[in-house]
Amino acid sequence: MPPAPGRSRRLSDRGLAAAFISPALLLLLAMSVFPLLWALYLSFTNYSATRGGPAEFVGFANYTAILTSAQVHQRALTTLIYVVGAVALQTVLGFGIAYLISRRTHGRGLLTTLFLVPMMLSPVVVGLFWRFMLDAQFGVINSMLGSLGLGQVEWLTRQRTALISLIVVDTWQWTPFIMLIALAGLTAVPKYLYEAASIDRASEWFRFRTITLPLVWPLLLIAVLFRAIEAFRLFDLVYILTNGGPGVSTETLSFHVYKVAFLGFNTGTASAYGILMVVVVIVLTQLYLRYLNKLKEG
Amino acid sequence: MAVSVDEAVSAGPAGDRRPTVRRRGGRGRAMLEIALLTVLAVVMLFPVLWMIETSIKENRDVYAIPAEFIGFTVTMEHFKDVFVGPDGGRSALSVAFLNSALVAGLSTVLATLLGVPAAWAYSRFAVKAKKDQLFFILSTRFMPPVVVVIPIFLMYRQIGLIDSKLGLILIYTAYNLPFTIWMMKGFVDEVPAEYEDAAMLDGYTRLQAFRRFTLPLLVPGIAATAVFALIFSWNEFVFAIFLTSSDSVRTAPPAIAGLIGGTTTDWGLVGAASVVFALPVLVFAYLVRKHLVAGVTLGAVRR
């Protein structure tokens, strides 16, 4: 096509930007912001989705009820143990695997690909399969423990082990994520730094501590924050693996919101609960973006 | 900082390889590291292998105590049950798979159609409060789904989108948009804006310059982004279970989860359904392996 000089620009740059951006923003407003505003409104009422009827304004009653509820405090503690436990385990394991892989010359691509498989699976598949493997009677884990001469563990039906099981399964699925990010950081460390250090006869530990870790750390921190956000809002794995039980031992905040909303049908209370969780997520997201910007500038 | 799996996979070693550095016990240590990696790989892959094994076992072998690792009879019965119903017709699971394909496919197309132009505009133009807008967009993706689903549920009930594929397609499109925009913005940033400037000097309009010169260069990026969006929608469970109820609308994740209701669970069938369900995801993930870091961090971590 020949150049078309002098063809009138029907859309100015500004108009074009608006035309291209607004449909996306409108959809997000309709599907995210509007529902959240609705939830915000409901959070100040005693509305119930099943009872129907008009929503009655109750002020901050829902919020004070949640913030002072011993139940909620316990769920918050469960969530904290789960998030900290799972993310810490994933970080140590993921970084360890990445470090080992980065020291290999051969078979790296294959190894990386194999390690990434768990991360790609749906939480439903992961949850179901671990439920089967952790089954007290015919689960393969207990079967293996048995053949090693060890006792059987009721993984999902005892209070304490259930939370540990949840952490283990989450770690199994998401260690590859940390590994992937750590590996990207490790391979980006300039080789000449190590060469310089080896000329100085620096010890392996010294090189790890003064070169590898400081250079990989910013990226690792981003991975950790990302995982913390995801773990905090986790719902599907709990639902499939333990359904919050036994008792309430694996009931995280996300799961508790679901119970309040869909089993208790206290829509108003659940909305207030949800708004508070969103606030936590927004704070975490801010941190995530702050470190992301630092990384991009650095 | 260069961040791509491409490098992670193919670049030279980050550590030392030179014999001068591996002074004391270098070989012993290398063997130890290989052994450790092998153990870790076996542990990580065991559940997947066990899933595949369970899917081809006969029921009596599935529940064998102690568990049977080898020497069982191989059967394809469970895979047949995934697709063929007990009455010989189509099974509920195969309907769910088709629904999943439809919902994931259409929402991916929509998210791409809305997201790519927006990403281009964010990359090229001085948009007012651009950082705030991009933060807002990303933050919608981080909302706890179980929280968002409450008002969405009420909203859908009001406008009749509850238990409909259209409802799922819309929410998945919105769910994938932040990812599409962030990931695509990275790809657009890598195409020099000068290409468009030069085209405009030749008399093309801005839109033509985008369509004729930038867009073709973005095709691989669009493909990678779309694959990720497809995987997210395909695997999604929370919206699917709360916004749909009937077998004809339900997607695969809630359908598979439904297999464990009742007193006994046919784990062979669960295994086979999971394998069938996971297979496309693994193939797709392999196709976009170069972009994995960007993909799994919503496109936020690139370069």
Side-chain angles (χ1 to χ4, degrees):
Chain A
M1 166 166 176
R7 181 178 289 183
S8 68
R9 285 192 199 167
R10 293 210 350 260
L11 285 166
S12 67
D13 282 358
R14 177 173 289 199
L16 198 59
F20 273 15
I21 289 172
S22 49
L25 281 186
L26 281 177
L27 185 73
L28 285 180
L29 287 174
M31 302 300 288
S32 294
V33 179
F34 176 68
L36 270 185
L37 287 178
W38 194 344
L40 187 65
Y41 158 70
L42 289 176
S43 73
F44 293 108
T45 69
N46 65 355
Y47 179 74
S48 167
T50 40
R51 264 205 328 270
E56 199 182 310
F57 189 76
V58 293
F60 281 93
N62 288 326
Y63 286 93
T64 43
I66 291 159
L67 289 172
T68 55
S69 151
Q71 267 194 349
V72 172
H73 295 164
Q74 205 219 325
R75 307 304 188 275
L77 185 67
T78 307
T79 310
L80 191 72
I81 295 173
Y82 156 70
V83 171
V84 172
V87 175
L89 258 177
Q90 286 155 29
T91 308
V92 172
L93 265 175
F95 185 81
I97 295 173
Y99 186 68
L100 288 176
I101 291 183
S102 77
R103 292 175 58 85
R104 297 265 68 78
T105 334
H106 300 292
R108 252 206 240 187
L110 180 72
L111 268 173
T112 316
T113 315
L114 284 180
F115 273 112
L116 287 176
V117 169
M119 191 173 87
M120 292 299 152
L121 300 177
S122 164
V124 173
V125 168
V126 171
L128 280 179
F129 237 78
W130 275 92
R131 210 172 133 157
F132 176 52
M133 297 200 331
L134 292 173
D135 191 283
Q137 280 173 40
F138 46 80
V140 66
I141 305 278
N142 271 351
S143 185
M144 286 195 288
L145 286 179
S147 55
L148 288 173
L150 297 167
Q152 310 286 293
V153 180
E154 288 189 44
W155 294 102
L156 299 172
T157 42
R158 286 249 186 272
Q159 303 241 349
R160 207 168 297 158
T161 48
L163 188 57
I164 294 174
S165 302
L166 183 67
I167 292 175
V168 166
V169 177
D170 194 77
T171 301
W172 179 78
Q173 182 164 31
W174 292 108
T175 292
F177 176 81
I178 305 266
M179 181 207 80
L180 184 67
I181 309 290
L183 195 54
L186 282 170
T187 41
V189 176
K191 231 172 122 189
Y192 66 83
L193 289 177
Y194 292 112
E195 278 159 12
S198 71
I199 288 166
D200 291 344
R201 300 188 143 260
S203 73
E204 189 116 14
W205 169 242
F206 182 83
R207 277 184 285 152
F208 178 79
R209 200 164 44 91
T210 54
I211 302 172
T212 314
L213 212 52
L215 282 169
V216 179
W217 183 243
L219 202 57
L220 201 60
L221 193 64
I222 285 179
V224 167
L225 268 169
F226 192 95
R227 278 303 308 144
I229 297 171
E230 293 264 294
F232 177 74
R233 49 179 222 146
L234 170 104
F235 172 79
D236 27 25
L237 192 62
V238 183
Y239 184 89
I240 300 280
L241 195 67
T242 62
N243 205 21
V248 293
S249 55
T250 54
E251 205 170 299
T252 57
L253 289 169
S254 261
F255 197 81
H256 195 220
V257 173
Y258 146 74
K259 272 175 106 174
V260 174
F262 287 95
L263 302 180
F265 287 103
N266 293 315
T267 317
T269 318
S271 298
Y273 206 148
I275 295 291
L276 288 171
M277 283 190 66
V278 167
V279 170
V280 175
V281 169
I282 286 180
V283 170
L284 282 171
T285 314
Q286 279 283 7
L287 284 173
Y288 175 76
L289 281 179
R290 179 176 301 174
Y291 285 106
L292 200 63
N293 283 334
K294 264 194 196 159
L295 183 75
K296 278 181 177 164
E297 284 159 15
Chain B
M1 186 177 280
V3 177
S4 94
V5 182
D6 214 10
E7 281 164 72
V9 171
S10 63
D16 47 290
R17 208 173 16 155
R18 307 184 326 162
T20 50
V21 185
R22 284 229 178 113
R23 293 178 306 255
R24 291 156 289 145
R27 173 154 302 182
R29 189 179 153 167
M31 294 304 285
L32 189 73
E33 283 179 8
I34 292 176
L36 205 56
L37 261 181
T38 313
V39 171
L40 285 165
V42 168
V43 171
M44 289 305 272
L45 285 177
F46 177 75
V48 181
L49 295 177
W50 193 243
M51 174 170 90
I52 296 169
E53 219 177 79
T54 305
S55 72
I56 53 171
K57 273 181 185 171
E58 277 176 12
N59 273 335
R60 62 185 157 83
D61 293 329
V62 169
Y63 301 100
I65 305 169
E68 286 179 345
F69 294 93
I70 42 166
F72 53 85
T73 328
V74 172
T75 172
M76 286 294 139
E77 271 307 296
H78 300 303
F79 283 96
K80 200 192 112 206
D81 291 344
V82 170
F83 295 105
V84 184
D87 53 349
R90 233 202 251 151
S91 69
L93 270 175
S94 67
V95 174
F97 278 123
L98 284 178
N99 289 341
S100 268
L102 185 77
V103 168
L106 280 179
S107 63
T108 301
V109 169
L110 273 174
T112 308
L113 286 178
L114 290 175
V116 173
W120 176 74
Y122 277 123
S123 176
R124 289 290 189 258
F125 300 129
V127 182
K128 226 186 271 172
K130 187 193 284 187
K131 271 198 164 174
D132 294 333
Q133 288 193 28
L134 285 168
F135 169 72
F136 157 72
I137 289 172
L138 189 68
S139 64
T140 61
R141 176 57 190 262
F142 279 132
M143 295 297 160
V146 73
V147 169
V148 181
V149 83
I150 301 168
I152 292 273
F153 178 86
L154 297 174
M155 186 170 104
Y156 274 15
R157 210 173 54 172
Q158 287 280 324
I159 55 180
L161 277 178
I162 208 86
D163 198 23
S164 76
K165 283 175 214 162
L166 179 63
L168 276 190
I169 291 169
L170 282 177
I171 190 77
Y172 287 171
T173 306
Y175 178 75
N176 275 323
L177 253 182
F179 165 76
T180 310
I181 293 175
W182 272 73
M183 181 113 169
M184 282 313 300
K185 185 174 173 296
F187 283 113
V188 181
D189 284 345
E190 275 168 25
V191 177
E194 285 75 21
Y195 290 4
E196 285 166 36
D197 295 340
M200 283 159 69
L201 282 177
D202 284 347
Y204 293 102
T205 65
R206 175 71 87 165
L207 192 59
Q208 286 169 329
F210 164 63
R211 233 184 36 214
R212 291 176 167 269
F213 298 95
T214 308
L215 200 56
L217 294 173
L218 291 178
V219 169
I222 293 175
T225 309
V227 165
F228 279 108
L230 204 60
I231 293 176
F232 290 138
S233 318
W234 180 259
N235 282 346
E236 207 284 332
F237 173 72
V238 182
F239 292 122
I241 195 152
F242 290 119
L243 300 178
T244 64
S245 50
S246 55
D247 278 354
S248 58
V249 178
R250 242 178 6 166
T251 54
I256 294 173
L259 294 176
I260 56 164
T263 45
T264 53
T265 303
D266 185 349
W267 287 108
L269 181 64
V270 173
S274 301
V275 169
V276 173
F277 182 67
L279 213 55
V281 175
L282 295 180
V283 171
F284 278 134
Y286 183 75
L287 291 177
V288 292
R289 63 193 181 283
K290 282 182 189 171
H291 305 288
L292 272 172
V293 173
V296 295
T297 53
L298 309 188
V301 176
R302 292 180 60 80
R303 204 168 264 276

